[in-house]
């Protein structure tokens, strides 16, 4: 950790890491996510709440749903890892300008990739889920591919978009600022 008068204290983690971890710990735990969807919500409200709790973690399987337990935990781990990796790459490569598109894009890509990876790893190690036990928060529509693959990806993309929009001001505010060069400093070609 280095201290500079122009930049203040420099953190070893990329901007937005604390926000990502805090969100996952606070809203992703099984008690809060269960409480959020336990109310009497219409189908659209239920889908919105399920989208906001896409990255959820469990300590115990619910209703004997072993596949959902591992898929949710893996999805959350992959999302946090991919998003922090993406934010670190953005922090190193950003040379000024806007951060909205890169942060939202990283969040959407991280959420979709984490959902796909989490479901795929759970399917490889535990087998394909039974159709009846794979649904936690929404109603199946009838087509297994659509319900087990496309619906979670759509939910993850929507979550990534919303989370990226919330994360952008945090990243923009905590991103290190470049110090303007003084005119009398000699330029170095090395």
């Amino acid at each position: 950790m280095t201290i500079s008068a122009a930049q203040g204290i420099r953190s070893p983690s990329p901007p937005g890491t604390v926000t990502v971890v805090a969100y996952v710990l606070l809203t992703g735990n099984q008690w809060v996510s269960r409480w959020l969807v336990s109310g009497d919500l219409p189908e659209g409200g239920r889908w919105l709440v399920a989208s906001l709790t896409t990255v959820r973690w469990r300590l115990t399987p619910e209703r004997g749903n072993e596949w959902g337990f591992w898929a949710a935990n893996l999805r959350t781990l992959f999302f946090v890892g991919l998003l922090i990796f993406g934010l670190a790459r953005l922090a190193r490569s950003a040379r000024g300008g806007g951060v909205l598109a890169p942060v939202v894009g990283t969040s959407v890509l991280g959420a979709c990739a984490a959902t796909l990876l989490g479901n795929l790893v759970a399917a490889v190690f535990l087998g394909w889920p039974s159709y009846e036990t794979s649904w936690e928060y929404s109603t199946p529509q009838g087509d297994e591919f659509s319900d087990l693959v496309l619906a979670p990806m759509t939910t993850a993309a929507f979550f990534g978009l919303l989370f990226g929009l919330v994360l952008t001001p945090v990243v923009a505010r905590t991103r290190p600022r470049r110090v303007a060069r003084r005119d009398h400093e000699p330029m170095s070609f090395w």
Side-chain angles (χ1 to χ4, degrees):
M1 184 178 327
T2 60
I3 298 177
S4 168
Q7 292 182 348
I9 297 176
R10 190 167 197 169
S11 173
S13 64
T17 302
V18 173
T19 305
V20 172
V21 172
Y23 181 83
V24 168
L25 288 177
L26 293 177
T27 63
N29 68 61
Q30 65 188 27
W31 304 283
V32 172
S33 61
R34 189 181 311 135
W35 175 74
L36 286 171
V37 296
S38 66
D40 188 23
L41 298 170
E43 187 61 33
R46 187 177 207 124
W47 185 78
L48 178 65
V49 170
S51 297
L52 294 175
T53 59
T54 295
V55 288
R56 52 188 176 267
W57 49 273
R58 303 282 183 257
L59 294 177
T60 57
E62 293 183 3
R63 295 175 297 192
N65 187 0
E66 188 85 16
W67 190 89
F69 168 76
W70 285 107
N73 287 340
L74 289 170
R75 179 176 50 236
T76 301
L77 285 174
F78 286 139
F79 175 73
V80 170
L82 289 170
L83 192 58
I84 290 174
F85 175 77
L87 290 173
R89 297 288 300 164
L90 285 175
R92 277 183 276 181
S93 66
R95 290 207 160 56
V99 294
L100 177 66
V103 171
V104 170
T106 301
S107 181
V108 170
L109 184 63
C112 289
T115 299
L116 189 62
L117 283 172
N119 290 351
L120 182 65
V121 170
V124 165
F125 288 110
L126 297 174
W128 195 252
S130 67
Y131 188 67
E132 294 80 25
T133 63
S134 61
W135 284 93
E136 278 187 275
Y137 297 136
S138 52
T139 309
Q141 302 300 317
D143 178 26
E144 285 191 27
F145 178 75
S146 176
D147 289 339
L148 296 174
V149 177
L150 296 179
M153 292 296 286
T154 304
T155 304
F158 185 69
F159 165 75
L161 174 70
L162 291 178
F163 192 73
L165 290 173
V166 170
L167 191 61
T168 297
V170 173
V171 171
R173 194 169 2 130
T174 58
R175 200 171 77 178
R177 302 185 192 284
R178 301 237 180 242
V179 179
R181 297 183 79 183
R182 292 184 274 175
D183 291 334
H184 58 73
E185 285 185 9
M187 291 185 61
S188 172
F189 292 110
W190 306 106

